[in-house]
Amino acid sequence: MDAPHLLPWCLLLLSLTLASTSTASNGVSRPPAPAPKPVGFGYRLVSLVQRPNGGGLVGYLQVKQRTSTYGPDIPRLRLFVKHETRDRVRVQITDAAKQRWEVPYDLLPREPAPPLAATVSDGVAAFTAAEYAGQDLVFTYGRDPFWFAVHRKSTRQPLFNTSRAPLVFKDQYLEVSTRLPKDASLYGLGENTQPGGIKLRPNDPYTLYTTDASAINLNTDLYGSHPVYVDLRSIGGRGVAHAVLLLNSNGMDVFYTGTSLTYKVIGGLLDFYFFAGPTPLAVVDQYTAMIGRPAPMPYWAFGFHQCRWGYQNISVVEGVVEGYQNAEIPLDVIWNDDDHMDAAKDFTLDPVNYPRPKLLAFLDKIHARGMKYIVLIDPGIAVNNSYGVYRRGMERDIFIKLDGEPYLAQVWPGPVYFPDFINPNGASWWIDEVRRFHELVPVDGLWIDMNEASNFCTGKCTIPKKHKCPIPDSKEPWLCCLDCKNLTNTRWDDPPYKINASGISGRLGYNTIATSATHYNGILEYNAHSLYGFSQAIATHKGLQGIQGKRPFVLTRSTFVGSGAYAAHWTGDNKGTWENLRYSISTILNFGIFGMPMVGADICGFYPAGEPPLEELCGRWIELGAFYPFSRDHANFASPRQELYQWASVAKSARNALGMRYRMLPYLYTLNYQAHLTGAPVARPLFFSFPDYAPCYGVSNQFLLGAGVMVSPVLEQGATSVSAVFPPGTWYNLFDTSKVVASSSGAAVKLDAPLNEINVHVYQNTILPLQRGGTISRDARATPFTLVVAFPLGATEGDAEGAVYVDDDERPAMVLAEGQATYARFHAAVRGGKEVTVRSQVSMGTYSLHKGLVIEKITVLGLHGAGRDLSIQVDGAEATAIAASSPYFAEEVAVEGEKRSLTMEVGGLALPLGRSFTMTWNMHIEA
């Protein structure tokens, strides 16, 4: 079975030979060009056994021929393979002789691999079968050269196959490649800004290494590292998906050609996880079951947020809140960037511009309204003996070190040290500082920024003796003012293989912590670099939860595999341009795949575009941003003011789009609950609901909220219409349900999109829970519900489903518990074109009954005729009288082609959300 897999390597050697004997244009043979040195010749499998009690396979690999390129080969490797669940198989390859770096199990809990010293009991037979099968996936392999593959058991469809090139495993260079079919659509491998849309493009660079490079930089490594991709293929008209995770925190380049994908990693081990799917939703469910379910978010987090770097004092912040109130634009959360700090020092207040008494009075006022307040903190701790946070950190010895001393860097306060969150003492120190700050200012959440970690300097630095640092009154405080020298004398600062860091194959330690610096227990920054923001998010989450006893809200810039279990994310420093408006969609959709569904981009742009922000752009951006899972306007200090009330036209767009968002809050919050249970993204690509519809695989200018609400924004200047893809079926415009798209072919449809309007459609077979809305989520969530029931246009037979989850949003856990949460499932059916039934099935109804939550109206879309003969049962008993104060039917007819669409309301209801009900009526068609 091994021989056919030698063919690709033989062809490669033949092509190199032919290329080296080429002839010059004058007919004279040129001397052979020196052949490139091979990186490696692969390994052979020398033994393989099956561990007892489902413990998987353990084998050993021996290098075939050593090379010196990028360092010596590790001579002997240990192979471990295990089907951990029915739909997940793990393949790990590491040094057989000594422990190598891997993502710490206390940061990312998972099933451990057997220790290297573990031996298999005598008498266990060698594993000689050609395949090692689980319930859904099958592992296959070759012995000499060693390769492995994973295929789907039911169809034998290959998912991953490394036979195309030799395995390379050196101390600081690991390489493995897989074949791919040409028709595979790949998504993931972030974080980066992808100008070509959500699908990975062949030959674009994909480098993973957390970097403070703003999101305006295209196709380069940004703030997060997520070495996972989803592979979607249309096979026989059916979309089939799987995912591959390489769990490794070291820097890496991933080369995608369209028919192959190659990993080049500068350390750690090869620890692959394969997730069987076969649907996109199943893939994310399986992935987040392994890395951690997304954190539950408080209800208010789905309201609108306003921030600006440059709110000079508390009076300015008060004016912003007042501006939103006067303009009647919804606002739930007001933020401070670092303006509130004393000289940019964490956990402090500026005594002049943000005096504590005045700030506390302001917080009392907004808290009474139901609003929230969040501030920024950076990881860098100012080196200042008069600063208590610094002194306590020094006393507990919790800073990252270089050459035995705390590593000196520079950020906004000037010289700083970086806490080590991997150190248990560092994490507990941080948690204590969060507690102390909360006693000073009762913030409602924390925003952790600059945690890649960002450093204005590079190398080994000292505090200058000839000038001050920070430079007083500097207009460019981001310029390094420390005395620094480059570090190139270690293999950690100058590794043999240079990843495409920052898009320039730059030094790993450029504008970050030196990679030869050390964490707790001697852990190298070289290995742990991309875990810094992840470890800080865990400590921050613990700190907030411990002091408040409530559901924490943490927003982080730098992320890693598993960060979504602790924090939300925003896409970083973008720019106020139409291109950045468009790019935001792909990044947001990627983070849903990464298990971080609470994500958004800075609305209207963080950096100015070199001119005053375009009024039209800001209007269009809030129309889109109102439907980001995390919706926040945020601007740079150099930008002109761009709060949504600054222009009358933008305010109108905001009231329209945010008005719908606030009506949809129960739906968004229910998606939050479903994300916490299954990992299902809040915002998702169209193919999540329509995996069999291949034309939507590359759609990057539209997205779904949940399974059945589609957002189709305007992304071009001056446009008053938008061309939108509609998968087959009936779609109803949520702002005007008489506007219907009944798609059979799935062809693009031109939609009107006047300046202050965005197209948002609900799909057939959906029941959408809405409320009346408002300008603050606390008030909006107390209003009566409307259920929008969408049937296929003109349906005589049809079904629709939906659900709503409500709770007090204070409890850290998001689980159904009597008296604390209610979950109601809804089902609607039409039979014979006449009989209509809408019913609910309620779990844990006490909470909703206590809150007095009721359904006041049911809006039914797509049926013909007028309603008659209403009957209502609540908890199985006749309740038409008590469940409706003055029930009525209302109809509105619209025409779509030759079909007549009816929007019908059953109003005047008072159905308790906390009790199961059944409602029936008949449709009467006038002659």
Side-chain angles (χ1 to χ4, degrees):
M1 65 182 289
D2 298 339
H5 298 285
L6 292 172
L7 182 61
W9 301 358
C10 296
L11 291 176
L12 174 62
L13 292 173
L14 177 62
S15 65
L16 291 174
T17 302
L18 293 174
S20 67
T21 57
S22 59
T23 303
S25 59
N26 59 8
V28 179
S29 296
R30 293 180 299 194
K37 292 183 179 181
V39 179
F41 291 93
Y43 287 75
R44 61 186 176 90
L45 180 65
V46 295
S47 67
L48 186 65
V49 298
Q50 186 167 5
R51 302 174 76 221
N53 304 317
L57 304 180
V58 173
Y60 291 93
L61 312 176
Q62 188 70 39
V63 68
K64 290 174 64 66
Q65 180 180 336
R66 301 190 184 195
T67 73
S68 59
T69 306
Y70 303 139
D73 298 271
I74 292 177
R76 186 174 170 85
L77 302 177
R78 199 277 300 272
L79 167 71
F80 171 62
V81 184
K82 185 178 181 183
H83 293 281
E84 294 188 333
T85 66
R86 67 165 297 149
D87 43 38
R88 180 176 84 227
V89 63
R90 181 183 189 182
V91 179
Q92 186 193 78
I93 301 174
T94 188
D95 190 334
K98 66 178 182 179
Q99 188 74 31
R100 287 182 64 81
W101 166 257
E102 59 183 319
V103 176
Y105 282 81
D106 59 343
L107 287 185
L108 188 68
R110 59 199 186 277
E111 187 175 333
L116 294 178
T119 58
V120 180
S121 303
D122 293 339
V124 174
F127 185 86
T128 58
E131 298 182 344
Y132 176 53
Q135 290 181 282
D136 289 351
L137 298 175
V138 179
F139 171 83
T140 60
Y141 60 97
R143 290 184 174 270
D144 190 2
F146 169 75
W147 56 266
F148 76 87
V150 174
H151 67 254
R152 204 176 293 282
K153 187 175 183 179
S154 59
T155 62
R156 300 195 69 81
Q157 177 196 13
L159 308 186
F160 198 87
N161 187 320
T162 69
S163 63
R164 72 175 298 272
L167 168 68
V168 180
F169 204 118
K170 301 165 185 281
D171 188 34
Q172 290 183 266
Y173 184 81
L174 288 63
E175 182 179 329
V176 65
S177 299
T178 180
R179 298 173 174 178
L180 291 169
K182 290 183 179 179
D183 61 350
S185 296
L186 268 59
Y187 312 87
L189 296 178
E191 177 181 10
N192 59 21
T193 299
Q194 299 173 194
I198 188 173
K199 276 179 63 174
L200 301 187
R201 294 193 305 192
N203 304 315
D204 273 359
Y206 297 98
T207 297
L208 281 69
Y209 187 75
T210 61
T211 306
D212 178 9
S214 72
I216 64 176
N217 295 286
L218 308 181
N219 291 326
T220 190
D221 45 311
L222 298 181
Y223 313 107
S225 175
H226 294 270
V228 62
Y229 69 84
V230 172
D231 181 330
L232 177 62
R233 306 172 190 177
S234 181
I235 300 175
R238 182 166 173 261
V240 181
H242 69 275
V244 179
L245 166 68
L246 173 56
L247 186 57
N248 185 301
S249 64
N250 290 83
M252 69 180 76
D253 288 330
V254 185
F255 294 89
Y256 171 51
T257 67
T259 58
S260 68
L261 188 142
T262 300
Y263 298 89
K264 297 184 178 183
V265 193
I266 60 172
L269 44 73
L270 296 175
D271 202 358
F272 284 103
Y273 292 82
F274 301 91
F275 305 90
T279 66
L281 275 176
V283 163
V284 178
D285 186 5
Q286 296 153 12
Y287 180 59
T288 56
M290 183 254 165
I291 68 166
R293 298 297 194 192
M297 295 291 156
Y299 199 94
W300 52 261
F302 289 91
F304 183 67
H305 304 241
Q306 177 62 52
C307 182
R308 177 183 173 84
W309 183 19
Y311 288 151
Q312 300 93 334
N313 56 58
I314 187 61
S315 297
V316 174
V317 178
E318 290 175 319
V320 171
V321 173
E322 184 177 348
Y324 274 91
Q325 292 173 357
N326 292 341
E328 297 182 318
I329 299 172
L331 179 66
D332 256 78
V333 190
I334 187 71
W335 296 57
N336 266 127
D337 207 303
D338 67 0
D339 303 294
H340 66 286
M341 297 181 184
D342 179 14
K345 299 193 297 293
D346 280 349
F347 306 118
T348 64
L349 292 177
D350 183 327
V352 175
N353 295 313
Y354 285 84
R356 183 169 181 258
K358 192 170 183 180
L359 178 58
L360 292 181
F362 168 71
L363 295 186
D364 286 342
K365 183 178 178 180
I366 66 167
H367 283 156
R369 290 195 69 238
M371 288 184 62
K372 306 297 179 181
Y373 177 64
I374 295 176
V375 299
L376 173 144
I377 46 176
D378 292 334
I381 301 300
V383 178
N384 186 328
N385 287 322
S386 66
Y387 176 35
V389 177
Y390 165 79
R391 291 198 311 271
R392 289 186 291 271
M394 290 296 291
E395 289 167 2
R396 297 185 66 172
D397 191 24
I398 52 84
F399 294 113
I400 293 171
K401 290 185 169 62
L402 179 68
D403 298 332
E405 298 293 331
Y407 176 74
L408 185 67
Q410 179 188 333
V411 200
W412 301 114
V416 299
Y417 293 157
F418 287 115
D420 179 6
F421 299 103
I422 295 176
N423 184 338
N425 284 335
S428 62
W429 163 85
W430 183 260
I431 290 169
D432 183 60
E433 295 300 336
V434 170
R435 177 191 61 79
R436 290 170 181 266
F437 181 63
H438 194 268
E439 291 176 355
L440 184 72
V441 184
V443 295
D444 300 288
L446 288 173
W447 170 18
I448 50 177
D449 193 12
M450 307 285 284
N451 52 352
E452 293 73 30
S454 178
N455 180 3
F456 298 161
C457 301
T458 299
K460 185 173 184 178
C461 304
T462 58
I463 295 177
K465 297 180 180 179
K466 295 184 179 180
H467 63 267
K468 291 184 177 181
C469 184
I471 298 172
D473 301 320
S474 172
K475 301 296 184 183
E476 299 175 311
W478 50 86
L479 298 181
C480 181
C481 55
L482 299 175
D483 289 340
C484 304
K485 62 177 182 180
N486 289 330
L487 292 170
T488 58
N489 59 337
T490 77
R491 63 191 182 105
W492 312 117
D493 295 301
D494 188 24
Y497 175 77
K498 309 295 191 291
I499 63 171
N500 191 39
S502 303
I504 55 172
S505 296
R507 295 190 302 276
L508 287 180
Y510 179 74
N511 282 163
T512 188
I513 301 169
T515 43
S516 56
T518 55
H519 295 249
Y520 176 70
N521 272 354
I523 293 171
L524 281 165
E525 169 70 8
Y526 180 89
N527 293 318
H529 170 82
S530 290
L531 300 175
Y532 193 76
F534 179 35
S535 59
Q536 186 193 18
I538 295 173
T540 308
H541 185 275
K542 288 180 179 177
L544 282 177
Q545 186 167 303
I547 58 177
Q548 293 178 314
K550 299 179 182 179
R551 192 174 301 166
F553 180 84
V554 179
L555 183 73
T556 182
R557 190 168 75 175
S558 185
T559 62
F560 186 71
V561 175
S563 288
Y566 304 94
H569 175 65
W570 91 108
T571 64
D573 298 345
N574 60 5
K575 194 172 186 179
T577 68
W578 291 93
E579 292 80 11
N580 277 257
L581 172 67
R582 176 168 55 87
Y583 300 154
S584 71
I585 297 176
S586 294
T587 307
I588 286 168
L589 297 181
N590 267 329
F591 270 87
I593 292 172
F594 297 154
M596 294 198 75
M598 191 60 166
V599 57
D602 283 347
I603 293 169
C604 299
F606 177 71
Y607 291 124
E611 57 186 50
L614 294 174
E615 181 176 345
E616 180 191 357
L617 172 65
C618 206
R620 290 303 192 187
W621 209 322
I622 186 53
E623 290 171 8
L624 168 60
F627 299 97
Y628 292 157
F630 171 63
S631 183
R632 185 183 71 163
D633 181 322
H634 181 215
N636 181 283
F637 66 89
S639 300
R641 295 289 291 270
Q642 60 185 43
E643 292 84 5
L644 303 180
Y645 56 79
Q646 296 289 341
W647 307 272
S649 69
V650 176
K652 182 178 180 181
S653 296
R655 283 189 293 268
N656 187 46
L658 288 173
M660 180 57 73
R661 179 187 183 90
Y662 273 63
R663 291 196 66 202
M664 291 176 60
L665 285 177
Y667 178 66
L668 293 172
Y669 194 64
T670 302
L671 295 178
N672 174 36
Y673 175 65
Q674 294 170 349
H676 182 56
L677 290 183
T678 69
V682 175
R684 20 185 124 156
L686 271 59
F687 64 75
F688 265 70
S689 287
F690 305 96
D692 299 343
Y693 182 61
C696 73
Y697 286 8
V699 172
S700 304
N701 55 1
Q702 299 168 252
F703 60 93
L704 296 172
L705 290 173
V709 174
M710 185 165 69
V711 181
S712 305
V714 170
L715 303 173
E716 297 179 359
Q717 186 174 5
T720 56
S721 64
V722 62
S723 178
V725 172
F726 283 86
T730 307
W731 298 84
Y732 300 91
N733 187 310
L734 268 180
F735 290 95
D736 182 353
T737 56
S738 68
K739 295 180 179 179
V740 186
V741 176
S743 172
S744 56
S745 65
V749 176
K750 184 177 180 181
L751 303 171
D752 289 336
L755 183 61
N756 302 116
E757 297 181 16
I758 182 171
N759 281 277
V760 180
H761 289 78
V762 62
Y763 188 58
Q764 66 182 41
N765 311 325
T766 301
I767 298 181
L768 184 66
L770 303 177
Q771 287 176 284
R772 291 182 183 177
T775 58
I776 194 162
S777 66
R778 184 193 66 180
D779 299 338
R781 68 184 305 192
T783 61
F785 283 80
T786 292
L787 301 183
V788 177
V789 179
F791 287 117
L793 183 61
T796 57
E797 303 286 331
D799 295 271
E801 293 183 340
V804 68
Y805 172 89
V806 293
D807 68 3
D808 62 7
D809 92 323
E810 294 285 300
R811 294 173 297 117
M814 197 178 200
V815 295
L816 273 174
E818 194 62 75
Q820 296 179 329
T822 295
Y823 187 68
R825 295 177 181 272
F826 305 110
H827 180 264
V830 58
R831 297 291 181 258
K834 294 182 179 181
E835 183 180 334
V836 182
T837 302
V838 180
R839 58 182 171 83
S840 72
Q841 182 180 358
V842 175
S843 300
M844 308 293 179
T846 304
Y847 172 79
S848 290
L849 294 173
H850 176 70
K851 292 293 183 179
L853 298 176
V854 298
I855 299 168
E856 67 174 348
K857 183 167 60 177
I858 295 177
T859 301
V860 182
L861 308 177
L863 301 186
H864 294 321
R868 299 286 190 274
D869 310 321
L870 178 66
S871 173
I872 302 173
Q873 290 185 333
V874 174
D875 288 340
E878 174 63 27
T880 304
I882 64 171
S885 54
S886 53
Y888 64 84
F889 289 101
E891 303 89 31
E892 178 183 346
V893 176
V895 176
E896 170 67 23
E898 297 180 357
K899 296 181 179 179
R900 294 169 64 83
S901 167
L902 179 68
T903 297
M904 186 186 72
E905 291 183 358
V906 185
L909 304 175
L911 291 168
L913 184 67
R915 289 182 177 168
S916 299
F917 69 84
T918 300
M919 177 185 298
T920 61
W921 68 88
N922 292 313
M923 300 300 296
H924 175 73
I925 301 177
E926 299 288 346

